[in-house]
Amino acid sequence: MRGDDEGPIIRVDDLVTHYGERRILNHVSLEIQPGETMVILGGSGTGKSTLLRHLVRLEIPTSGHVYIKGNDVCHMPEEDFNLIRRKMGMLFQSAALFNSMTIEENVSLPLRELTELEEPTIRIMTRIKLELVGLSGFERFMPSQLSGGMKKRAGLARALAMDPEILLFDEPSAGLDPITAAGIDSLIVKLKHAFRMTIVVVTHELASAFTIADRITVMQGGEILATGRPEEIRSNENPHVQRFLNRVPEEETWDVQAYLRNLTEPAE
């Protein structure tokens, strides 16, 4: 494995992905620099979450490459990628907590599974992470006893357990009220300034994107339309970018004959 300290910490090179016959990512290329917060912005079905899953090798592309610190993670043995994965944390959209475990047990799980630390050390590190996300005192609570925003914070504490260099978020504001969502945004900014980690956030929330981002990448139809600083994205002249920023719906076109055939022809 390589350990490049120069250049982008993440580089996506000409990524193409299919689900069956459907093309999800269409020749996507992107560079993310160390210590920056990159927001991948777009509506539902644009391919942004699929792109994020490629970064942690939950998806394998049809073609193309993903480089993490110079290592081609799409085409390396799983045991080698596991070493890289230890320095990556991910907060899933649903928080993905284990309902049968307490919050403390959820957060400490990576430390128990992936390290040989003594139990007192694991307990201390877990409580530090819970305090960092504002959940000190909730160690013994079960996930079912927490609000949606608190579950997201607990999931974030678990993502931070191994002190990652790269932190990934999939729709961190999804399902949250505006005030709770703003609290998650504030926490992301706090983490960036405190630890200088590289942060990648997938979202469709405009307010969140422009609050937390150093740079923004706008996606549509599995392609990247624009990448730049927030002010550059606001002034971008691509009509699809402006339509998304101004919440203007796409014009819908209907094939009437195809619609009628779909209603009347028996399923095969």
Side-chain angles (χ1 to χ4, degrees):
M1 290 193 304
R2 297 171 57 191
D4 291 4
D5 293 324
E6 298 181 359
I9 191 169
I10 298 172
R11 181 163 66 89
V12 179
D13 182 20
D14 200 30
L15 209 63
V16 176
T17 299
H18 291 82
Y19 291 165
E21 296 297 318
R22 184 183 174 199
R23 180 174 289 188
I24 305 299
L25 297 179
N26 187 24
H27 299 286
V28 169
S29 295
L30 179 66
E31 292 186 351
I32 300 172
Q33 303 302 322
E36 80 169 334
T37 298
M38 170 67 81
V39 171
I40 302 174
L41 184 63
S44 299
T46 57
K48 59 189 189 298
S49 290
T50 299
L51 174 57
L52 191 72
R53 288 195 295 272
H54 279 295
L55 302 186
V56 289
R57 207 161 118 157
L58 294 177
E59 302 276 359
I60 299 297
T62 305
S63 63
H65 305 269
V66 174
Y67 298 93
I68 308 290
K69 300 184 71 175
N71 300 288
D72 187 350
V73 301
C74 294
H75 305 92
M76 69 190 311
E78 184 70 17
E79 57 270 24
D80 288 344
F81 180 65
N82 284 337
L83 298 175
I84 296 173
R85 185 184 277 129
R86 291 187 182 195
K87 285 302 180 181
M88 302 174 71
M90 183 164 179
L91 175 60
F92 294 91
Q93 183 172 335
S94 63
L97 299 173
F98 292 99
N99 291 327
S100 60
M101 294 181 176
T102 66
I103 298 308
E104 183 176 34
E105 289 169 340
N106 267 281
V107 175
S108 64
L109 186 61
L111 297 170
R112 290 199 170 91
E113 293 290 324
L114 301 173
T115 75
E116 298 180 357
L117 294 172
E118 297 290 335
E119 187 61 29
T121 303
I122 290 176
R123 203 156 43 240
I124 290 169
M125 293 180 66
T126 298
R127 298 198 174 198
I128 288 172
K129 296 304 189 296
L130 285 169
E131 183 174 358
L132 184 64
V133 301
L135 288 181
S136 180
F138 290 88
E139 294 85 359
R140 301 301 180 190
F141 280 60
M142 304 299 287
S144 61
Q145 296 175 292
L146 301 186
S147 67
M150 294 170 76
K151 288 179 183 178
K152 289 285 179 81
R153 288 173 179 265
L156 177 53
R158 187 177 60 189
L160 292 168
M162 296 287 290
D163 296 320
E165 295 178 40
I166 300 169
L167 190 57
L168 310 173
F169 293 82
D170 188 8
E171 298 282 6
S173 301
L176 303 180
D177 65 83
I179 294 176
T180 303
I184 297 295
D185 290 344
S186 178
L187 185 54
I188 293 172
V189 173
K190 173 184 172 183
L191 291 172
K192 171 194 168 182
H193 291 306
F195 299 104
R196 296 303 302 165
M197 64 180 69
T198 303
I199 297 175
V200 184
V201 181
V202 159
T203 187
H204 64 275
E205 299 285 350
L206 293 174
S208 177
F210 284 95
T211 296
I212 66 179
D214 292 315
R215 290 194 300 147
I216 295 172
T217 291
V218 182
M219 291 189 68
Q220 183 185 39
E223 299 180 349
I224 290 177
L225 299 182
T227 296
R229 295 187 302 274
E231 61 271 20
E232 293 173 329
I233 295 299
R234 287 192 188 278
S235 61
N236 189 282
E237 295 182 357
N238 185 302
H240 295 290
V241 173
Q242 287 302 314
R243 188 176 290 121
F244 183 79
L245 296 182
N246 292 292
R247 302 183 66 193
V248 177
E250 296 278 359
E251 293 184 6
E252 294 185 354
T253 58
W254 293 88
D255 185 335
V256 176
Q257 295 303 318
Y259 178 72
L260 291 174
R261 284 196 302 273
N262 186 55
L263 288 177
T264 58
E265 292 180 358
E268 295 183 358

